[in-house]
Every structure is written in structure tokens, then in C-alpha cells.
Amino acid sequence: MTCSAIWTVANQKGGVGKTTTTVTLAGLLAKQGLQVLLVDLDPHASLSHYFGLDENDSVKGVFDIFTCSEKLTVDVIQPCIYASHIDNISVLPANMNLATLDGQLGQSPGMGLALKQALHCIKPWYDIVLIDCPPILGVLMINALAASSQVIIPVQTEHLAIRGLDKMMQSLLLLEHKLSKQFVKTVVPTLFDKRLRATASAYKALHQQYHQTLWSDVIPIDTHFRDASAAHMPASHQFPNTRGVRAYAKLLTYLQQHKVTIPHVVG
Ligand SMILES: Nc1ncnc2c1ncn2[C@@H]1O[C@H](COP(=O)(O)OP(=O)(O)OP(=O)(O)O)[C@@H](O)[C@H]1O
Ligand SMILES: [Mg+2]
């Protein structure tokens, strides 16, 4: 089966649930029997940490791909990908060196397309690739967006975060223009606390401004996500029957049915 979907999870604002969204959707997709590749583009390597891949400097990863002076081939990329302890999930990890990339290579011609080229080489091995971005619009996020056609934008349901979303959407528009492509965009309200009046009013504001791209449901606050992260497990596997995971399952159904064409396993 060939890979027909590359999704980027991005927002310039930090702490809005990007990594949690990436890992939980990956867990749910893996449970469907799909081969999932996770790409960690955040120098803080939270996603790699989830899968125990940030413990030492000998772990190869995205940095090696970006700084590779040879032509990007399967032989160069394969050693940078690790099978994880979760069935059907492989990881292309990050490390702190990635933080130097903007300065080192940000201006080099073609740098924005390195990840796209790398993923093109290994496409046939995966049904879907999910890319977790750092909360900065720089060469890393640009690489992710150039490689993908769908963008999932988690946004914390609070007014300050919505201001951050405005910036993110403007950046996406600029990039669409620059890359001459249009993304399928899905804004996902996260960390929704139904007890707070401020959350309800923030959701209303989100709905007014972004109803065309807004997923109509929410991801609730659920402490199981923190516990799952501490256990180095996707919440989909550690706490499958919790409110938070059920909400992500609904989101996935939405993404699969309404927005994105990805293969379903037959039989
Ligand atoms: N729905 C949720 N309910 C409760 N806690 C959550 C939820 N989503 C995420 N968290 C917790 O909030 C924190 C930030 O989440 P996460 O790391 O996914 O955000 P991020 O956008 O990737 O952050 P960064 O920008 O720093 O990479 C983590 O401790 C995570 O476990
Ligand atoms: Mg993160």
C-alpha cells in the first residue's frame, strides 16, 4: 500500500496540545492496522521522548537528514527511522541540534523541501505520516508544510491562544501563496474545560472567526494525557476508554471521512 497522506500538526503557540494530538492520532491509526510514521521536528524532542528516542546522542534522526550532503536516498533515510514499542508506529526522531538549523541552513536554497524529498523516498512503506512541529514558524515548520497537504491546528480554548491562532492562519496563507498550494486546514479546540465560563466564550469566538475550518467538537481537559506521556505510551493504548481518547477518536473519524483521503485497511 502506498502512502497517500501526510498530516502536519502545527501552531506557532506553545503548549496547545500539538504533540498530544500527534501521538494520540498516531495511536488510533496504528490500532486501525495502518503503518504510521511519526516525524518529530521539535528540537525539544517531546515526541521522541515519548518513544524513548532522546536518551543519547547516537540516535540518528531528522537533523541527519537535513544536514546530509549526499542525495537523499532510502539508504540515507532508513537508518534514521526506528520501530517503536507500539505496533505499527515508527519514529523519525528529533534532537536539540535541530535548533541550530534555522541559523545554519535557513537561507540555503532548497532547504524548505528537504523533508518533502526524504518522505518521497520512503512513502511506499507507510500508510500515513504525521509530523509534529515546534511552536515557531521557521525552516522546520516550513519543511513540514511543504511536505503535507493537510494541517491540523490544535488551539487551546482560551482567548490568548486564539490571538495566536490568528498569526498562525496568516502564516499559512502566506505559505500557501509562496508554495503555490492549498492546505486542508482543521482547527481543533483543545484543553476544553467545560466548567469555565471563559472557555465557553473563547469557543464562541473561535466559532465566529473560524467556522469554516473549525472541527465542531472539542478535546476536553483530561489528566490521562499527562499520565500517558509519563508512561511513554499513547493515551489511545494506555487509557483507551477515557473522555480524551474518545474525543480524539471522533476527530480521527472526522478527518478520515470528511477532510482527508487515507487508506482504510480492508478485511
Ligand atoms: N486535553 C488535554 N488535557 C489535559 N492535559 C493535556 C491535554 N492535551 C495536552 N495536555 C498536556 O499539556 C501539556 C502540553 O501539551 P503538548 O506537549 O501536547 O503541547 P504542545 O503544543 O506540543 O507543546 P509545545 O509547543 O511545547 O511543543 C502536556 O503536559 C500534555 O500532557
Ligand atoms: Mg510539542
Side-chain angles (χ1 to χ4, degrees), residues 13-20 42 135 191 219-223 225-226 229:
K13 179 125 179 42
V16 294
K18 295 180 290 295
T19 303
T20 305
D42 189 346
L191 292 143
I219 305 295
I221 289 254
D222 185 338
T223 52
F225 288 114
R226 265 174 233 256
S229 146

Side-chain angles (χ1 to χ4, degrees), residues 191-229:
L191 292 143
F192 187 87
D193 188 343
K194 66 175 185 210
R195 295 164 304 179
L196 300 180
R197 200 181 304 161
T199 306
S201 104
Y203 181 83
K204 209 168 152 195
L206 257 182
H207 197 268
Q208 272 165 359
Q209 267 177 278
Y210 294 104
H211 61 277
Q212 276 173 335
T213 43
L214 186 70
W215 176 51
S216 59
D217 217 323
V218 295
I219 305 295
I221 289 254
D222 185 338
T223 52
H224 290 102
F225 288 114
R226 265 174 233 256
D227 298 341
S229 146

Side-chain angles (χ1 to χ4, degrees), residues 40-45 62-63 66-67 94-106 134 136 138-140:
D40 188 358
L41 286 190
D42 189 346
H44 288 110
V62 184
F63 184 75
F66 279 117
T67 53
N95 61 31
M96 280 305 283
N97 291 343
L98 270 184
T100 64
L101 271 187
D102 262 301
Q104 270 182 38
L105 303 165
I136 298 164
V139 73
L140 294 164

Side-chain angles (χ1 to χ4, degrees), residues 17-39:
K18 295 180 290 295
T19 303
T20 305
T21 298
T22 312
V23 172
T24 312
L25 289 177
L28 291 165
L29 286 158
K31 281 186 156 189
Q32 292 182 1
L34 296 171
Q35 287 300 323
V36 183
L37 174 66
L38 286 176
V39 180

Side-chain angles (χ1 to χ4, degrees), residues 106-161:
Q107 303 306 319
S108 315
M111 251 330 276
L113 298 175
L115 184 67
K116 184 177 178 173
Q117 283 161 10
L119 293 180
H120 185 74
C121 296
I122 51 167
K123 257 181 172 184
W125 304 345
Y126 302 99
D127 298 311
I128 179 155
V129 180
L130 295 186
I131 307 172
D132 185 24
C133 284
I136 298 164
L137 180 71
V139 73
L140 294 164
M141 199 195 286
I142 289 172
N143 263 271
L145 293 168
S148 41
S149 49
Q150 280 86 21
V151 192
I152 299 162
I153 308 144
V155 58
Q156 187 170 352
T157 335
E158 52 127 53
H159 284 284
L160 260 183

